[in-house]
Amino acid sequence: MADSSTQSIIIGAAPDRVTAVICDFARYPEWTDAVRRAEVVEEYEDGYASQVHFTIDAGVMADDYVLAYEYAEDLSRIEWHLVAPSKMQKSQRGSYDLVGNPDGSTTVTYTLEVDLSVGMLGMFRRKAEKMIMDTALKQLKRRVEATGAAQ
């Protein structure tokens, strides 16, 4: 059974800038440590990715899988799920929820639920999930705020 974990971070940019970075899957290897490759394999009519193939290598865990994406009409929520079991995962569900703040920043809440194919003690799994989420949010924040400064 997969447990769900949630973390939030405040990013110094408007929601549309945050969404632009999240949805630019091809550039994930530039700013996400574990992602070696991200390729959009299917798109919706509006050009947003509906399926993305990922190759990751996080040292202790390497995997190759496809995620299916869905988007709220106003892009305030981006959610995904694993299309088919992979070498390391039985299932994965996740989401980003974006809320614009009065000061122009965005609160991003990341929720992730992964059911691994390999056994891992609950204590270690929770620690790994926290580390993955913490790293993902910090890398997203760094990327968005860096691209904003460059514009």
Side-chain angles (χ1 to χ4, degrees), residues 32-53:
T32 307
D33 291 342
V35 177
R36 298 294 172 249
R37 198 181 90 183
E39 178 187 1
V40 175
V41 292
E42 205 171 284
E43 291 182 342
Y44 291 108
E45 288 181 12
D46 61 9
Y48 284 98
S50 63
Q51 290 194 6
V52 181
H53 178 224

Side-chain angles (χ1 to χ4, degrees), residues 4-10 95-97 107-112 126-138 140:
S4 182
S5 298
T6 301
Q7 284 189 38
S8 296
I9 197 166
I10 295 174
S95 63
Y96 285 110
D97 288 290
T107 300
V108 179
T109 301
Y110 181 29
T111 302
L112 184 64
R126 284 186 293 281
K127 186 174 182 173
E129 284 174 356
K130 182 184 181 334
M131 186 185 75
I132 290 165
M133 294 181 75
D134 191 50
T135 300
L137 285 171
K138 286 179 178 174
L140 175 64

Side-chain angles (χ1 to χ4, degrees), residues 99-117:
V99 177
N101 300 315
D103 66 358
S105 67
T106 302
T107 300
V108 179
T109 301
Y110 181 29
T111 302
L112 184 64
E113 178 183 299
V114 178
D115 190 4
L116 295 174
S117 301

Side-chain angles (χ1 to χ4, degrees), residues 32-37 54-65 87-89 92 112 116 120 127-129 131-133 135-136 139:
T32 307
D33 291 342
V35 177
R36 298 294 172 249
R37 198 181 90 183
F54 288 93
T55 302
I56 64 162
D57 186 350
V60 295
M61 186 177 134
D63 206 2
D64 201 44
Y65 55 91
K87 179 178 78 172
M88 298 295 290
Q89 303 175 74
Q92 180 185 145
L112 184 64
L116 295 174
M120 188 181 283
K127 186 174 182 173
E129 284 174 356
M131 186 185 75
I132 290 165
M133 294 181 75
T135 300
Q139 290 177 349

